[in-house]
Amino acid sequence: MIFKCIIVDDEPPATRILENYIGKVNFLEKVGIFNDALKALEFLNTQQVDVIFLDIQMPQLTGLQISRIISKDIKVIFTTAYPDFALEGFELNAVDYLLKPISFERFYQAVSKLNSEPKVEVSNNNNAPDFLFIKTDGKNKFQKVFLNDILYVESLQNYVCIHTVKQQIITHSSLKNVIESLPSTDFIQIHKSYVISLQHIESTDNFSVFINGKELPIGATFKDAFFDEIDQNKI
């Protein structure tokens, strides 16, 4: 799916960076850039837009105010130089919250959440990154995690715990968001609370999967899809 997106930001350097990043991702299409919030709203009233990269601090209307006005079908990714607005942004069901200056890695992590098909590609090399940046403690602290090191991901209500070969990382997120950032060829959900790495499975039976000595339950809802995957690789 191609997502039509616009940039709404009154800072030209920021819009140039976002425009450049959008051009690198082959499931994004830029259809407009606006430094005026009211003109952006006029455009949204007449044109189809899937995603809006929305600065929070702007004259006339703030990004938070705009997000309350626009259609709920439009996905919002906030961009700002001020981390204090992050909580309110997420309360408005934003896809993500990007703190300026925005790196391409962080941008890619955010837009990968848009696609229900996790196998997304970057047009400059046709390969998705083999790592994720996981938000940890602190306003702008992220831990780089290589996909090959992830054993499994565990849901903990409003948090998830990412179990790797070296450590456990807890972050404020949902299991759904994590799934959308992982390649479906390498990871599969086996339970409402667990997503596992296929390459790290040690053994399995009708009820459990064993990874790194840990027994994880297989939920009835996910059982058929999991064993279909196993059948494709059995001898």
Side-chain angles (χ1 to χ4, degrees):
M1 176 180 178
I2 303 298
F3 293 91
K4 294 183 178 181
C5 52
I6 65 171
I7 301 167
V8 183
D9 197 314
D10 62 342
E11 299 177 358
T15 60
R16 286 195 295 268
I17 289 172
L18 289 171
E19 184 178 17
N20 176 264
Y21 288 171
I22 290 170
K24 292 182 177 181
V25 181
N26 65 0
F27 59 88
L28 297 180
E29 178 188 355
K30 183 208 70 183
V31 295
I33 297 177
F34 302 90
N35 58 15
D36 184 301
L38 297 180
K39 289 182 178 179
L41 289 174
E42 291 176 4
F43 183 85
L44 292 172
N45 286 333
T46 59
Q47 303 294 325
Q48 178 188 344
V49 172
D50 302 306
V51 184
I52 177 172
F53 294 92
L54 185 57
D55 187 23
I56 289 182
Q57 292 288 86
M58 289 189 299
Q60 296 179 314
L61 290 172
T62 69
L64 296 173
Q65 290 172 322
I66 294 171
S67 70
R68 295 186 181 99
I69 296 171
I70 62 176
S71 168
K72 300 302 181 184
D73 294 332
I74 301 174
K75 299 178 186 298
V76 175
I77 296 178
F78 285 116
T79 63
T80 183
Y82 303 96
D84 297 341
F85 295 104
L87 179 59
E88 187 172 359
F90 284 119
E91 287 175 347
L92 292 170
N93 294 319
V95 173
D96 212 332
Y97 182 99
L98 299 178
L99 191 63
K100 300 174 182 177
I102 302 166
S103 69
F104 179 71
E105 289 83 2
R106 183 67 185 89
F107 175 87
Y108 186 88
Q109 181 188 11
V111 299
S112 67
K113 298 177 183 179
L114 298 169
N115 205 327
S116 59
E117 296 295 331
K119 288 183 66 179
V120 295
E121 296 181 344
V122 182
S123 60
N124 61 351
N125 61 13
N126 292 325
N127 288 307
D130 60 355
F131 56 85
L132 297 174
F133 283 99
I134 309 299
K135 193 176 191 314
T136 56
D137 293 334
K139 291 184 178 179
N140 195 29
K141 185 177 179 182
F142 295 87
Q143 176 77 37
K144 185 177 184 179
V145 177
F146 286 95
L147 298 180
N148 287 341
D149 289 341
I150 298 176
L151 301 172
Y152 62 94
V153 183
E154 179 181 6
S155 174
L156 303 171
Q157 294 183 342
N158 295 325
Y159 294 82
V160 295
C161 181
I162 300 172
H163 299 259
T164 76
V165 295
K166 298 177 182 178
Q167 60 185 320
Q168 298 177 5
I169 303 170
I170 296 177
T171 184
H172 187 275
S173 184
S174 67
L175 195 62
K176 179 179 182 294
N177 282 341
V178 175
I179 291 170
E180 291 175 350
S181 299
L182 296 173
S184 60
T185 52
D186 301 317
F187 293 86
I188 189 168
Q189 187 167 8
I190 62 165
H191 187 274
K192 66 180 182 180
S193 298
Y194 294 102
V195 172
I196 66 168
S197 167
L198 291 166
Q199 71 169 326
H200 286 293
I201 294 175
E202 295 172 345
S203 62
T204 182
D205 58 30
N206 284 333
F207 306 102
S208 304
V209 174
F210 296 84
I211 295 179
N212 198 35
K214 174 74 174 182
E215 181 179 2
L216 305 175
I218 301 173
T221 304
F222 307 94
K223 189 172 185 178
D224 289 345
F226 173 68
F227 282 107
D228 284 345
E229 186 69 33
I230 296 298
D231 286 342
Q232 293 179 27
N233 295 280
K234 73 179 183 181
I235 58 174

mmCIF file of all heavy atoms in Angstrom, residues 24 58 67 79 87 98 109 143-144 152 161 173 181 189 201 223:
data_model
loop_
_atom_site.group_PDB
_atom_site.id
_atom_site.type_symbol
_atom_site.label_atom_id
_atom_site.label_comp_id
_atom_site.label_asym_id
_atom_site.label_seq_id
_atom_site.Cartn_x
_atom_site.Cartn_y
_atom_site.Cartn_z
ATOM 1 N N LYS A 24 12.866 8.457 0.234
ATOM 2 C CA LYS A 24 13.672 7.237 0.326
ATOM 3 C C LYS A 24 12.840 5.985 0.603
ATOM 4 O O LYS A 24 13.348 4.864 0.497
ATOM 5 C CB LYS A 24 14.716 7.376 1.439
ATOM 6 C CG LYS A 24 15.798 8.400 1.158
ATOM 7 C CD LYS A 24 16.812 8.432 2.298
ATOM 8 C CE LYS A 24 17.933 9.403 2.011
ATOM 9 N NZ LYS A 24 18.948 9.426 3.094
ATOM 10 N N MET A 58 3.257 25.665 16.156
ATOM 11 C CA MET A 58 3.041 26.472 14.959
ATOM 12 C C MET A 58 2.110 27.637 15.276
ATOM 13 O O MET A 58 1.310 27.547 16.216
ATOM 14 C CB MET A 58 2.426 25.623 13.835
ATOM 15 C CG MET A 58 3.378 24.606 13.235
ATOM 16 S SD MET A 58 2.656 23.854 11.747
ATOM 17 C CE MET A 58 1.196 23.090 12.448
ATOM 18 N N SER A 67 -4.717 17.993 15.074
ATOM 19 C CA SER A 67 -4.974 16.546 15.154
ATOM 20 C C SER A 67 -6.374 16.247 15.689
ATOM 21 O O SER A 67 -6.942 15.191 15.397
ATOM 22 C CB SER A 67 -3.922 15.863 16.024
ATOM 23 O OG SER A 67 -4.073 16.221 17.388
ATOM 24 N N THR A 79 5.953 15.851 14.919
ATOM 25 C CA THR A 79 7.364 16.232 14.878
ATOM 26 C C THR A 79 7.525 17.504 15.697
ATOM 27 O O THR A 79 6.736 18.441 15.547
ATOM 28 C CB THR A 79 7.837 16.490 13.433
ATOM 29 O OG1 THR A 79 7.121 17.586 12.885
ATOM 30 C CG2 THR A 79 7.615 15.259 12.570
ATOM 31 N N LEU A 87 3.550 12.943 25.792
ATOM 32 C CA LEU A 87 2.454 12.209 26.424
ATOM 33 C C LEU A 87 1.115 12.606 25.824
ATOM 34 O O LEU A 87 0.299 11.750 25.478
ATOM 35 C CB LEU A 87 2.452 12.461 27.932
ATOM 36 C CG LEU A 87 1.331 11.762 28.719
ATOM 37 C CD1 LEU A 87 1.410 10.251 28.519
ATOM 38 C CD2 LEU A 87 1.418 12.115 30.192
ATOM 39 N N LEU A 98 8.166 12.179 16.860
ATOM 40 C CA LEU A 98 9.560 12.324 16.463
ATOM 41 C C LEU A 98 10.138 13.611 17.022
ATOM 42 O O LEU A 98 9.601 14.689 16.809
ATOM 43 C CB LEU A 98 9.678 12.325 14.940
ATOM 44 C CG LEU A 98 9.189 11.051 14.234
ATOM 45 C CD1 LEU A 98 9.308 11.206 12.728
ATOM 46 C CD2 LEU A 98 9.950 9.840 14.721
ATOM 47 N N GLN A 109 11.681 3.910 11.652
ATOM 48 C CA GLN A 109 10.999 3.149 12.702
ATOM 49 C C GLN A 109 9.555 3.613 12.847
ATOM 50 O O GLN A 109 8.641 2.800 13.018
ATOM 51 C CB GLN A 109 11.731 3.314 14.032
ATOM 52 C CG GLN A 109 11.099 2.518 15.177
ATOM 53 C CD GLN A 109 11.731 2.849 16.509
ATOM 54 O OE1 GLN A 109 12.490 3.808 16.619
ATOM 55 N NE2 GLN A 109 11.424 2.086 17.520
ATOM 56 N N GLN A 143 17.681 2.363 22.594
ATOM 57 C CA GLN A 143 18.621 1.243 22.564
ATOM 58 C C GLN A 143 18.535 0.558 21.202
ATOM 59 O O GLN A 143 17.454 0.168 20.761
ATOM 60 C CB GLN A 143 18.266 0.239 23.669
ATOM 61 C CG GLN A 143 19.118 -1.011 23.685
ATOM 62 C CD GLN A 143 20.488 -0.755 24.278
ATOM 63 O OE1 GLN A 143 20.624 0.011 25.214
ATOM 64 N NE2 GLN A 143 21.496 -1.391 23.721
ATOM 65 N N LYS A 144 19.665 0.432 20.538
ATOM 66 C CA LYS A 144 19.690 -0.250 19.252
ATOM 67 C C LYS A 144 19.689 -1.752 19.482
ATOM 68 O O LYS A 144 20.498 -2.278 20.232
ATOM 69 C CB LYS A 144 20.933 0.161 18.453
ATOM 70 C CG LYS A 144 20.975 -0.413 17.039
ATOM 71 C CD LYS A 144 22.197 0.109 16.286
ATOM 72 C CE LYS A 144 22.207 -0.368 14.845
ATOM 73 N NZ LYS A 144 23.382 0.164 14.110
ATOM 74 N N TYR A 152 12.413 -13.344 21.873
ATOM 75 C CA TYR A 152 10.958 -13.208 21.855
ATOM 76 C C TYR A 152 10.567 -11.890 22.513
ATOM 77 O O TYR A 152 11.374 -11.246 23.189
ATOM 78 C CB TYR A 152 10.259 -14.388 22.539
ATOM 79 C CG TYR A 152 10.569 -14.584 24.007
ATOM 80 C CD1 TYR A 152 9.755 -14.045 25.002
ATOM 81 C CD2 TYR A 152 11.664 -15.348 24.408
ATOM 82 C CE1 TYR A 152 10.026 -14.246 26.347
ATOM 83 C CE2 TYR A 152 11.948 -15.558 25.754
ATOM 84 C CZ TYR A 152 11.124 -15.000 26.715
ATOM 85 O OH TYR A 152 11.395 -15.178 28.049
ATOM 86 N N CYS A 161 8.300 -6.359 26.948
ATOM 87 C CA CYS A 161 9.663 -6.733 27.307
ATOM 88 C C CYS A 161 10.264 -7.460 26.111
ATOM 89 O O CYS A 161 9.729 -8.488 25.670
ATOM 90 C CB CYS A 161 9.691 -7.617 28.542
ATOM 91 S SG CYS A 161 11.371 -8.101 29.044
ATOM 92 N N SER A 173 4.996 0.431 25.086
ATOM 93 C CA SER A 173 4.466 0.170 23.754
ATOM 94 C C SER A 173 3.464 -0.963 23.849
ATOM 95 O O SER A 173 3.259 -1.545 24.915
ATOM 96 C CB SER A 173 5.597 -0.189 22.791
ATOM 97 O OG SER A 173 5.110 -0.345 21.474
ATOM 98 N N SER A 181 6.596 -3.759 13.417
ATOM 99 C CA SER A 181 7.968 -3.356 13.128
ATOM 100 C C SER A 181 8.889 -4.540 12.875
ATOM 101 O O SER A 181 10.061 -4.348 12.568
ATOM 102 C CB SER A 181 8.523 -2.535 14.307
ATOM 103 O OG SER A 181 7.775 -1.366 14.507
ATOM 104 N N GLN A 189 3.547 -14.535 15.989
ATOM 105 C CA GLN A 189 2.849 -14.481 17.264
ATOM 106 C C GLN A 189 2.293 -15.855 17.594
ATOM 107 O O GLN A 189 1.650 -16.502 16.763
ATOM 108 C CB GLN A 189 1.716 -13.456 17.217
ATOM 109 C CG GLN A 189 1.049 -13.240 18.572
ATOM 110 C CD GLN A 189 0.145 -12.015 18.599
ATOM 111 O OE1 GLN A 189 -0.115 -11.402 17.572
ATOM 112 N NE2 GLN A 189 -0.344 -11.649 19.782
ATOM 113 N N ILE A 201 13.916 -20.830 17.935
ATOM 114 C CA ILE A 201 13.149 -21.946 18.508
ATOM 115 C C ILE A 201 14.083 -23.140 18.714
ATOM 116 O O ILE A 201 14.791 -23.560 17.794
ATOM 117 C CB ILE A 201 11.986 -22.352 17.589
ATOM 118 C CG1 ILE A 201 10.955 -21.222 17.497
ATOM 119 C CG2 ILE A 201 11.322 -23.635 18.095
ATOM 120 C CD1 ILE A 201 9.831 -21.508 16.517
ATOM 121 N N LYS A 223 -2.499 -21.132 17.111
ATOM 122 C CA LYS A 223 -1.909 -22.466 16.953
ATOM 123 C C LYS A 223 -1.810 -22.896 15.500
ATOM 124 O O LYS A 223 -0.766 -23.374 15.036
ATOM 125 C CB LYS A 223 -2.731 -23.474 17.764
ATOM 126 C CG LYS A 223 -2.102 -24.853 17.860
ATOM 127 C CD LYS A 223 -2.891 -25.727 18.832
ATOM 128 C CE LYS A 223 -2.214 -27.078 19.030
ATOM 129 N NZ LYS A 223 -2.940 -27.912 20.011
#
